[in-house]
Amino acid sequence: MDRKNGDRSGRLMDISKKSAFKVLNPNNVWVPILFGLGIVFLLFYFDDNITADNLSLIFDAKWSSVFVAFLVLLARDAGYAYRIRTLTNQELTWKSSIVVIILWEFASAVTPSVVGGTAVAVFILTYEGINFGKSLAYVMLTAILDNLFFVVAAPVVMLLTQGVIFPSIHTFDVQIGGSLQFFFFLSYSLIATYTLVMSYGLFVKPRAFKWFLLKVTALKFLRKWRVKANQYGDEIMIASSEIKGKMASYWVKICLATVFIWTARYLMLNSLVSAYAEITVPEHMVIFSRQIIMWIVMLISPTPGSSGTAEFFFNQFFNEYLGSYTFVSSIFWRLMSYYPYLLLGAIFLPRWVRSKFFKK
């Protein structure tokens, strides 16, 4: 990396460090917990179908299916660790990979989904011994791969489920004739466009991408974002220089790992639903497919880790399969897939900070 890129990396690293320390605070766990508890309380209070007796239904679960859900969850996390280790060309040890994933998931859990833990992930990787440029590249690659999975998977599952992927949710109806389908296709278009533009900037013409950002933000009503645009353009250029010349096997491995991770993420809920209801193979496919729609709803949520939003929409999407078990299933789902990362982050974070910043 030349001197100019080195100076740019140092400046961006300072910005990343400041952003990361705002997020990496164990006290942040209380915000999403309170959001989640608040929505659960509101659902319990306003829904006449939910009573105190419903809470005891959690013990009606088929524990073999719960055990399978737990194993699938562990498999997903193992996939995350494998992918980040493969992305870094084995520069991270397995232990470091696991710690990175725990802290990354914690950062995602305490920030709004639309923001994510990108700056924190770059910060964590850098202090695990990966240089700043490579850290940027790996985090951007992860974002592109995750979005690309959705962009490819969404039309496939829509074709396979033939329209039943969309539940009837009147909450989304608007006077202009829109519906959940309208919001889905709008979100899908935005994510597909974002992924395409990001891919072009990272893999094809990073310098032209930065030039375009600066030209757009030169417009009078967009000038307040010019500094951010310049910073983002620098990040793209640095990241792009770090991923050139990768072998085909490298791309195959990380793409397959991405498919595995997201498939395991969704199959966990399928296993949990089957713990409370008898589900046929076609119904399993619909449940799997609807989670892609759920992911979009949670992605644009303004709450930390989609806390509250996820619990609310779970009831809308899966009530027809779970009936009276919907409420307890939503709680069980979040207890398995979300809150453990808040707890693990609060445990691992102080130790990690001490080991990286307070060594004798």
Side-chain angles (χ1 to χ4, degrees):
M1 185 180 292
D2 59 32
R3 182 176 178 180
K4 186 175 181 180
N5 276 349
D7 293 340
R8 187 185 290 131
S9 295
R11 184 175 70 254
L12 293 176
M13 182 57 201
D14 289 338
I15 297 171
S16 177
K17 187 174 181 179
K18 291 176 183 177
S19 302
F21 272 121
K22 289 179 182 178
V23 176
L24 290 176
N25 183 344
N27 292 327
N28 287 340
V29 301
W30 296 110
V31 177
I33 288 175
L34 291 175
F35 265 111
L37 289 176
I39 292 295
V40 168
F41 174 78
L42 290 174
L43 289 173
F44 187 82
Y45 184 80
F46 289 107
D47 193 333
D48 294 333
N49 296 319
I50 300 175
T51 64
D53 293 334
N54 284 100
L55 297 176
S56 63
L57 294 178
I58 197 170
F59 299 107
D60 291 349
K62 191 192 304 179
W63 291 104
S64 59
S65 295
V66 174
F67 181 67
V68 171
F70 180 73
L71 289 180
V72 173
L73 185 64
L74 289 180
R76 186 202 73 163
D77 291 338
Y80 271 127
Y82 171 82
R83 184 173 69 169
I84 195 64
R85 191 164 186 266
T86 303
L87 276 168
T88 62
N89 293 298
Q90 286 75 47
E91 288 186 54
L92 290 179
T93 64
W94 280 108
K95 180 181 178 181
S96 294
S97 298
I98 292 170
V99 171
V100 166
I101 294 304
I102 289 174
L103 296 180
W104 195 338
E105 287 289 300
F106 173 79
S108 298
V110 298
T111 54
S113 298
V114 71
V115 175
T118 301
V120 177
V122 173
F123 171 78
I124 294 168
L125 284 172
T126 302
Y127 278 91
E128 283 294 331
I130 310 298
N131 76 51
F132 182 73
K134 289 182 179 179
S135 297
L136 266 175
Y138 300 147
V139 172
M140 288 183 179
L141 264 179
T142 299
I144 289 174
L145 289 170
D146 287 340
N147 287 337
L148 191 59
F149 174 86
F150 172 77
V151 169
V152 174
V156 172
V157 298
M158 287 179 65
L159 181 64
L160 293 175
T161 55
Q162 299 179 350
V164 294
I165 187 174
F166 295 106
S168 177
I169 305 179
H170 299 295
T171 308
F172 282 99
D173 291 344
V174 292
Q175 291 182 349
I176 61 173
S179 61
L180 178 59
Q181 289 94 322
F182 169 79
F183 288 104
F184 168 77
F185 286 116
L186 175 62
S187 300
Y188 179 87
S189 299
L190 291 173
I191 290 175
T193 302
Y194 171 80
T195 304
L196 180 64
V197 171
M198 276 281 290
S199 299
Y200 176 81
L202 192 61
F203 299 115
V204 185
K205 296 285 187 180
R207 190 172 295 276
F209 178 75
K210 179 181 178 179
W211 177 87
F212 173 76
L213 289 179
L214 293 178
K215 282 293 182 182
V216 170
T217 52
L219 298 174
K220 186 175 181 180
F221 63 97
L222 294 176
R223 280 178 190 165
K224 64 179 179 180
W225 287 292
R226 190 171 177 79
V227 173
K228 284 285 185 182
N230 185 62
Q231 176 191 332
Y232 193 61
D234 286 344
E235 290 176 351
I236 285 285
M237 290 175 62
I238 293 170
S240 179
S241 67
E242 295 290 350
I243 60 174
K244 292 178 179 177
K246 299 293 184 184
M247 301 285 289
S249 58
Y250 175 86
W251 298 106
V252 171
K253 287 177 183 178
I254 61 176
C255 287
L256 289 177
T258 301
V259 173
F260 176 83
I261 288 165
W262 282 95
T263 301
R265 176 191 288 269
Y266 294 152
L267 286 178
M268 192 279 287
L269 180 54
N270 279 68
S271 300
L272 199 56
V273 172
S274 65
Y276 289 101
E278 294 296 327
I279 305 296
T280 64
V281 173
E283 287 174 333
H284 267 295
M285 187 173 294
V286 174
I287 291 169
F288 183 93
S289 302
R290 283 189 178 181
Q291 291 177 72
I292 296 178
I293 310 298
M294 277 275 291
W295 181 76
I296 280 294
V297 176
M298 293 167 64
L299 183 66
I300 61 176
S301 170
T303 61
S306 300
S307 188
T309 307
E311 289 85 350
F312 173 78
F313 283 106
F314 181 95
N315 292 278
Q316 308 295 326
F317 275 75
F318 303 111
N319 182 66
E320 66 183 272
Y321 298 104
L322 290 163
S324 59
Y325 291 107
T326 305
F327 182 66
V328 294
S329 296
S330 67
I331 295 175
F332 211 155
W333 172 55
R334 292 295 271 178
L335 284 175
M336 288 187 67
S337 64
Y338 176 68
Y339 291 104
Y341 298 105
L342 291 175
L343 178 62
L344 287 172
I347 293 172
F348 277 82
L349 178 58
R351 298 177 181 179
W352 184 82
V353 170
R354 282 198 299 270
S355 70
K356 300 301 177 183
F357 297 96
F358 297 99
K359 286 182 178 179
K360 291 184 180 180

